């Protein structure tokens, strides 16, 4: 059957089981937008290409399936560079199709030409410039294979316009061996000798900690993790990327480690004699000063990416394996430390002395951001999906929401991309329409990508957005307060400009505002009751509120600063 | 193979270097992927040589000499292996390597310097590959140290124009190569 390259592209996406594409058309990708009309694939028309990328990420993080975005050449392609970089940092499976100028025009500085494969070389797992229509099926099949196997990540396929317009005899690769990837061999299997050494370290450990990262979610290893933790009774810390991999309500859960982690999680790692690091990369936001990180601990490092082993911290035992395989194998061996009662007694005193806390709000307001998050959590259905932007609100959401299952926390970790929240929440809602989806956002973040609420309204994607409006770029303000002698430089945003309620209404959403605890409860109730259109709530929060605990950048985790009300406690 | 040139293998380069022989797919942009990886990870490349691989037109071989101070070998291996177009990496320690590179130099000549120049060329075991009334072009295929020595000797001649290829290397016979790492 002879079809066009454009038809082959859409057919290839159908072959890969794609149900939704987030995108925005333009000159070079025009041919591909014609066969979309005849395809069962749902296309969601965004208002800015960055929105398409973050929506695809939100979809991927909520469902575990690869997100797909499609944009045109030149500025369309450069606008999606930030989501690609974000997905690369957070190992999110993404397939991005970009239009390109016709082959004959490549290299001539043609209209809307840019070297997007060159630009994204360092921020994709791999990318392709397709040079003939007959290669389209292989490129798409390879893109999905690369994006979803091994350590997942974004893959970009650049498609020149004339290739989309030319014809090919339809075919599709029958299997991996037809993908022509001689250099791609994702790890498989667990090294038995390393396993035995890991078991030996476990057997002699008195103060072990399971340091769990996003790789556990990517490998869908949460059940293996839970079985292993429950049998061994090893305390579990879940990094920002791993929230939801282990239930926060579980007695073995210590919460998040790192710069804004719980005192118990941070301190347990510092005092540990053994870290079982699973699918995690010793990020600087977790380790603080590396030389002072977990100084007494030996390390068992499980990672699917061999380059992560020994990158930051030497591992006594390296298990180059998928988290599910490694945890399953450890579980099968029955490896376990002896009695951990003494260790747990110590951890419980830290939990009791230094729980997450905040000062109670005044009845007249302003609101406490932490209280807003706790109230939304309490009033929303079980299994609500939470997306966040980047900053103080993100840390509070991670701290004060209670995550119980995978795919319920959608956030930008490694890249720290402000504006991620709204489009990511939209993508998550598209992937899991039966769930309530709240975006916990900051006023700074909201202004970066809020236009996608127009998309949400037009496409019937009823997300809810909580703006924790403190009138500031709050995290920067916090650092200027604490480390720059309260010299506030370019951080004031003004709580009333823009008028968030009117802005929401202009985009076809319901806009609400809450200044006091009573108004807050009413607004949350009203927002949760609206299920047909997006809702935006402008919560007026206390400007001076800061995120605690905190470890200053570059400091040792031993120098953790707890909430002011807890200082001086034993 | 010509006899070892003067200063031969005796003098080692002061940089602590390591030689990676990287088999890559022969596709557009692969060299940029490899070079870009080194640049963004802050690994210094000491020299680099690329040519189609011995066996197959699908592959090319890139010989990279890395500065081991800036580039922990395990990291270089791991990161390189993540490039989808990289098929195989072998690592050769300098002491276990037979290394060669080619030097080409064009030197202005006149009656005053011709004799001393011929002495240098002879001592280095270099060959004269081109000549006109006022210049001579010499070629040396030797160890990097041998090329260093000739380069120093030729620097005394004003107006010399000198090019080096960067080295290629194979393991010494009888020395086991490190098992190529196959992972990502």
């Amino acid at each position: 059957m002879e079809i066009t390259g454009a038809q082959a592209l859409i057919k290839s996406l159908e072959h890969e089981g794609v149900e939704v594409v987030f995108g925005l058309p333009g000159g070079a990708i025009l041919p591909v937008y014609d066969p979309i009309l005849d395809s069962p694939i749902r296309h969601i028309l965004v208002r800015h290409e960055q929105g398409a990328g973050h929506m695809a990420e939100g979809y991927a993080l909520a469902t575990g399936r690869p997100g797909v975005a499609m944009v045109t050449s030149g500025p369309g392609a450069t606008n999606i560079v930030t989501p690609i970089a974000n997905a690369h940092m957070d190992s999110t499976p993404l397939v991005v199709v970009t239009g390109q100028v016709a082959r004959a025009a490549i290299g001539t500085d043609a209209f809307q030409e840019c070297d997007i494969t060159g630009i994204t070389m360092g921020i994709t797992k791999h990318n392709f410039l397709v040079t003939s229509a007959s290669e389209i099926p292989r490129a798409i099949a390879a893109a999905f294979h690369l994006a979803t196997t091994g350590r997942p990540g974004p893959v970009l396929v650049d498609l020149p316009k004339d290739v989309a317009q030319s014809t090919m005899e339809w075919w599709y690769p029958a299997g991996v061996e037809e993908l022509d990837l001689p250099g791609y061999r994702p790890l498989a299997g667990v090294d038995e000798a390393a396993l035995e050494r890991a078991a030996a370290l476990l057997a002699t450990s008195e103060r072990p900690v399971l340091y769990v990262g996003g790789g556990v979610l990517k490998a869908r290893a949460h059940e293996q993790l839970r079985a292993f933790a429950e049998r061994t009774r090893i305390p579990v810390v879940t990094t920002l990327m791993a929230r939801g991999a282990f239930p926060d309500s579980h007695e073995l859960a210590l919460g998040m480690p790192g710069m804004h982690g719980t005192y118990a999680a941070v301190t347990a790692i510092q005092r540990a004699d053994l870290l079982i690091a699973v699918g995690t990369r010793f990020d600087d936001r977790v380790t603080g000063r590396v030389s002072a990180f977990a100084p007494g601990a030996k390390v068992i490092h499980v990672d699917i990416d061999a380059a992560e082993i020994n990158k930051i911290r030497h591992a006594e035992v390296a298990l180059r394996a998928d988290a599910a395989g490694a945890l399953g194998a450890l579980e099968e061996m029955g490896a376990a430390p002896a009695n951990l009662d003494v260790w747990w007694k110590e951890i419980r005193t830290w939990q009791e002395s230094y729980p997450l806390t905040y000062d109670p709000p005044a009845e007249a307001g302003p609101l406490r951001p932490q209280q807003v998050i706790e109230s939304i959590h309490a009033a929303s259905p079980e299994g609500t999906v939470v997306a966040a932007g980047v900053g103080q609100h993100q840390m509070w959401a991670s701290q004060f929401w209670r995550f119980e299952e995978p795919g319920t926390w959608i956030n930008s970790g490694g890249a720290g991309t402000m504006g991620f929240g709204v489009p990511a929440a939209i993508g998550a809602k598209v992937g899991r329409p039966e769930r309530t989806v709240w975006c916990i956002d900051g006023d700074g973040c909201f202004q970066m990508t809020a236009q996608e609420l127009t998309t949400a309204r037009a496409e019937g994607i009823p997300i809810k957005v909580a703006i924790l409006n403190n009138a500031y770029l709050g995290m920067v303000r916090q650092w200027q307060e604490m480390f720059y002698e309260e010299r506030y430089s370019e951080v004031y945003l003004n709580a009333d400009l823009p008028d968030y309620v009117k802005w929401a209404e202009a985009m076809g959403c319901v806009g609400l505002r809450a200044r006091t605890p009573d108004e807050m409860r009413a607004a949350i109730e009203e927002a949760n009751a609206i299920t047909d259109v997006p809702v935006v709530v402008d919560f007026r929060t206390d400007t001076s509120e800061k995120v605690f605990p905190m470890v200053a950048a570059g400091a040792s985790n031993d120098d953790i600063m707890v909430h002011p009300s807890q200082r001086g406690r034993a | 193979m010509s006899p070892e040139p003067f200063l031969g293998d005796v003098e080692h380069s002061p940089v602590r270097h390591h030689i990676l022989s990287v088999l890559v797919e022969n596709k557009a942009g692969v060299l940029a992927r490899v070079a870009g990886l080194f640049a963004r990870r802050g690994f210094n490349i000491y020299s680099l040589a690329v040519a189609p691989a011995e066996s197959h037109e699908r592959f090319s071989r890139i010989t990279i000499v890395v500065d081991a101070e800036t580039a922990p070998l395990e990291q270089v291996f791991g990161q390189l292996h993540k490039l989808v177009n990289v098929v195989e990496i072998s690592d050769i320690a300098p002491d276990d390597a037979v290394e060669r590179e080619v030097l080409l130099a064009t030197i202005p000549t006149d009656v005053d310097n011709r004799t001393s120049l011929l002495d240098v060329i002879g001592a280095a075991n270099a060959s004269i590959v081109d000549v006109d009334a006022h210049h001579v072009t010499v070629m040396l295929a030797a160890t990097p140290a041998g090329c260093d020595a000739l380069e120093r000797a030729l620097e005394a001649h004003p107006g010399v124009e000198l090019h080096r290829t960067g080295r290629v290397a194979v393991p010494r016979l009888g020395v086991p190569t490190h098992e190529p790492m196959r992972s990502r």
Side-chain angles (χ1 to χ4, degrees), chain A residues 250-333:
Chain A
H250 201 287
E251 56 163 347
L252 301 175
L254 306 188
M256 180 172 74
M259 182 175 270
H260 294 298
T262 67
Y263 184 89
V266 171
T267 308
I269 288 178
Q270 289 304 92
R271 301 283 182 277
D273 65 2
L274 178 66
L275 292 184
I276 305 105
V278 189
T280 192
R281 58 184 176 83
F282 295 82
D283 181 83
D284 57 85
R285 285 307 191 255
V286 169
T287 61
R289 196 193 322 139
V290 174
S291 59
F293 177 70
K298 291 191 164 129
V299 173
I300 299 170
H301 194 173
V302 177
D303 209 291
I304 188 79
D305 180 356
E308 289 303 340
I309 312 267
N310 297 332
K311 184 180 83 174
I312 303 291
R313 171 69 178 249
H314 172 70
E316 274 71 19
V317 177
L319 287 170
R320 296 179 179 87
D322 152 90
L327 285 169
L330 280 173
E331 186 53 13
E332 220 162 86
M333 290 183 85

Side-chain angles (χ1 to χ4, degrees), chain A residues 36-221:
Chain A
I36 284 182
L37 288 173
D38 306 320
S39 171
I41 293 174
R42 180 183 184 190
H43 182 274
I44 288 174
L45 175 61
V46 299
R47 269 39 177 186
H48 185 290
E49 290 89 348
Q50 184 186 358
H54 291 323
M55 285 179 205
E57 291 183 88
Y59 175 91
L61 291 169
T63 64
R65 298 195 294 272
V68 182
M70 189 155 75
V71 298
T72 196
S73 64
T78 56
N79 275 346
I80 206 163
V81 165
T82 296
I84 292 171
N86 191 79
H88 189 58
M89 287 292 260
D90 287 350
S91 307
T92 305
L94 218 58
V95 173
V96 176
V97 179
T98 49
Q100 181 55 277
V101 299
R103 280 170 299 176
I106 290 178
T108 68
D109 305 315
F111 178 64
Q112 292 192 334
E113 180 187 358
C114 86
D115 172 20
I116 195 63
T117 50
I119 287 171
T120 58
M121 217 170 248
I123 50 168
T124 49
K125 185 168 171 183
H126 194 54
N127 59 29
F128 299 91
L129 172 65
V130 183
T131 52
S132 83
S134 61
E135 279 303 304
I136 289 171
R138 200 199 311 274
I140 294 296
F144 278 87
H145 179 61
L146 291 169
T148 56
T149 55
R151 180 176 179 173
V155 180
L156 181 138
V157 179
D158 199 21
L159 182 67
K161 186 173 188 177
D162 62 318
V163 174
Q165 286 166 326
S166 62
T167 58
M168 54 90 74
E169 191 63 33
W170 171 251
W171 73 288
Y172 205 76
V176 172
E177 59 285 348
E178 284 185 34
L179 298 183
D180 189 28
L181 299 170
Y184 185 66
R185 294 174 294 264
L187 284 171
V190 188
D191 174 8
E192 288 295 327
L195 264 181
E196 277 171 28
R197 280 182 288 129
L201 281 186
L202 275 166
T204 55
S205 171
E206 292 171 355
R207 298 186 307 280
V209 172
L210 267 160
Y211 159 31
V212 170
V216 168
L217 291 173
K218 298 297 189 302
R220 297 179 176 83

